Amino acid sequence: MKNILNFLIETGKLKGKERRGWVMHGIKNSETTAEHIFYLAIMAWTIGKTKKLNIERVLKLALVHDLCEVYAPDLTPYDPLLPKDKKKAAEVLKKWPKFTNSLRIKKDKRKNELENKAMDKLVSSLPTNIKSEIKAVWLDFSKGISREARFVRQADKAVNFLQGIEYWKKHGKIQHKLWNRWIKEIIDDPALIDLIKAIEKKFY
Amino acid sequence: MEEEKKYYLTKDGLARIKKEYEDLRQIKLSKTKGDVPRVLQSEDLNAEYLAFQEDMGFLDSKITELEYILKNTEIIKNPHKDKQDIVGLGATVFVDVAGQQDEFTIIGTLEANPALGKISNESPVGRALLGHKIGEEVVVSSPVKTIYKIKKVKYHIG
């Protein structure tokens, strides 16, 4: 039980970890990683239900998908372009980040390495059966093996879009035109495309 | 399973799916006999590892899904030379979007990976670009109008 308690205390740190992307955009008291996980779980459950997915698996995928951020950096699509200087960073955020294919591959590989290492560290002391389950769900999410994982990977982007648009309406500061472009390049799930249309209808 | 759907795959993509299918069937056989499958001797954590960790229900549903995909696959081929200025499946499209240059390859949903510049033919942008020629402007309609100017189209499917 001690090992499970330690795991809980570590994952609990995500409750206070503000998401770096919002902080970079100058959003005060922005969403934490734990809040993002909550929002995604609710979205994936409600939209996933319309797709006849295995909801237990969908929820586990949503819960596990960012656990690695207890130890891994919260990377954004703009890394490694962002300077530390906030004014300079604001300039970078005005354009969509562009990378060569070889840099895209390098970034993706590095991200996977950091996240896998962090996940291994996080679950290392858990009892074998729980550790195996979390690692299997994580593997499914990170590689998009099951239908549920492919759906939750896209829902993760959709919920980020929704949060971004909510912040744009409340604070400005978000380059909503870029976000609109981005989401239409990366989402292809019909139910999530419908959700994006509903978000646009409500907020524009 | 969703209603009838066609899966567009590259040759490499199809080979990967076939291998995954055969490996999963082997795991199912091994699990039934109570053995540790041979495919797990690889250090590469993959679908086979996942299936072994999971219960038989997961394994069966993944095998069923792959059977469905294999029955409904169409291989992506390069178009005839006369039509290689038109955006089709497998094309790498070079575009100008609001003054920014970008490029991505349009591919079937199972191989799409936007982080690596591979976007799905079923995404709103992928769908909008298909069938358009070099020099054309494609408007992706939404409350925010985004114009993609097609600068170059390239095919390089193996």
Side-chain angles (χ1 to χ4, degrees):
Chain A
M1 195 51 80
K2 189 183 156 197
N3 290 339
I4 294 179
L5 175 61
N6 288 339
F7 168 77
L8 290 174
I9 292 169
E10 288 301 287
T11 55
K13 289 176 181 169
L14 295 177
K15 291 187 291 179
K17 190 173 178 182
E18 283 185 80
R19 301 194 80 206
R20 199 165 140 256
W22 306 134
V23 174
M24 274 170 9
H25 279 87
I27 308 291
K28 295 251 164 64
N29 298 317
S30 63
E31 180 193 46
T32 64
T33 303
E35 287 167 341
H36 162 69
I37 290 171
F38 165 78
Y39 214 5
L40 172 62
I42 297 288
M43 177 189 280
W45 178 7
T46 48
I47 309 287
K49 195 82 177 166
T50 67
K51 293 177 60 70
K52 296 177 186 163
L53 295 172
N54 176 339
I55 296 300
E56 183 184 335
R57 184 157 199 93
V58 163
L59 289 174
K60 284 180 182 173
L61 284 156
L63 288 172
V64 163
H65 91 285
D66 267 348
L67 280 190
C68 61
E69 286 183 15
V70 171
Y71 302 123
D74 176 14
L75 297 170
T76 79
Y78 288 88
D79 293 303
L81 297 177
L82 281 174
K84 283 184 182 168
D85 182 293
K86 279 193 177 175
K87 279 184 187 168
K88 285 182 186 166
E91 280 306 304
V92 173
L93 292 172
K94 284 181 184 167
K95 285 191 174 179
W96 193 246
K98 184 182 166 356
F99 301 103
T100 59
N101 259 345
S102 60
L103 191 54
R104 279 170 174 162
I105 292 167
K106 201 174 157 191
K107 263 163 54 89
D108 195 57
K109 194 177 168 219
R110 179 76 183 134
K111 183 175 184 284
N112 288 339
E113 283 169 359
L114 288 170
E115 292 183 345
N116 286 335
K117 201 175 160 193
M119 188 57 97
D120 281 346
K121 183 178 172 187
L122 184 65
V123 300
S124 62
S125 304
L126 282 174
T128 309
N129 59 342
I130 307 173
K131 178 162 65 181
S132 301
E133 183 174 8
I134 293 179
K135 283 183 77 168
V137 172
W138 165 245
L139 175 71
D140 190 10
F141 176 79
S142 54
K143 298 214 170 189
I145 294 168
S146 67
R147 283 179 69 222
E148 285 77 11
R150 292 196 294 276
F151 170 72
V152 174
R153 281 166 67 94
Q154 290 200 22
D156 183 31
K157 308 299 181 195
V159 82
N160 218 23
F161 176 72
L162 171 58
Q163 184 63 72
I165 295 299
E166 285 178 309
Y167 281 146
W168 166 60
K169 288 307 267 189
K170 196 173 172 188
H171 305 288
K173 294 185 179 178
I174 301 287
Q175 301 289 332
H176 70 103
K177 288 183 184 175
L178 290 183
W179 283 64
N180 236 287
R181 173 187 152 194
W182 165 75
I183 199 73
K184 289 183 177 65
E185 290 175 4
I186 62 174
I187 294 238
D188 76 349
D189 182 279
L192 292 173
I193 290 174
D194 283 348
L195 176 71
I196 299 303
K197 285 179 188 163
I199 293 171
E200 289 173 342
K201 204 172 168 188
K202 184 170 179 64
F203 289 95
Y204 281 87
Chain B
M1 197 61 70
E2 285 171 14
E3 60 193 65
E4 194 85 359
K5 178 179 167 116
K6 192 154 280 289
Y7 291 93
Y8 295 96
L9 289 167
T10 59
K11 270 187 194 168
D12 287 348
L14 178 62
R16 271 195 298 274
I17 299 257
K18 279 184 177 169
K19 182 178 183 307
E20 188 182 344
Y21 176 66
E22 289 307 326
D23 287 350
L24 291 182
R25 282 186 46 181
Q26 192 198 325
I27 285 175
K28 187 176 174 182
L29 195 65
S30 305
K31 268 191 145 183
T32 317
K33 288 181 186 167
D35 297 340
V36 174
R38 200 161 36 84
V39 288
L40 294 178
Q41 287 166 8
S42 156
E43 283 186 2
D44 179 30
L45 291 186
N46 48 25
E48 292 75 52
Y49 169 85
L50 178 61
F52 185 68
Q53 294 290 339
E54 300 276 340
D55 58 21
M56 205 59 115
F58 180 83
L59 190 52
D60 282 337
S61 72
K62 188 66 197 167
I63 289 173
T64 306
E65 185 194 356
L66 291 178
E67 280 171 351
Y68 182 83
I69 290 169
L70 289 169
K71 270 185 203 157
N72 293 283
T73 292
E74 193 170 314
I75 290 284
I76 299 174
K77 289 177 186 159
N78 283 345
H80 189 269
K81 277 185 180 173
D82 296 350
K83 293 190 172 176
Q84 294 205 353
D85 59 341
I86 299 172
V87 181
L89 271 160
T92 297
V93 192
F94 298 76
V95 290
D96 179 306
V97 195
Q100 260 192 291
Q101 309 299 310
D102 205 353
E103 64 173 89
F104 30 69
T105 302
I106 300 180
I107 207 143
T109 183
L110 293 174
E111 293 179 274
N113 187 346
L116 298 182
K118 295 175 185 176
I119 71 167
S120 165
N121 65 315
E122 296 171 35
S123 68
V125 172
R127 209 182 278 269
L129 287 171
L130 286 174
H132 287 277
K133 280 184 178 175
I134 296 172
E136 286 185 356
E137 291 190 352
V138 179
V139 179
V140 177
S141 57
S142 80
V144 177
K145 193 169 145 185
T146 309
I147 302 170
Y148 290 79
K149 292 178 192 165
I150 303 172
K151 306 298 245 185
K152 191 172 150 190
V153 178
K154 205 169 133 190
Y155 286 90
H156 43 69
I157 300 168

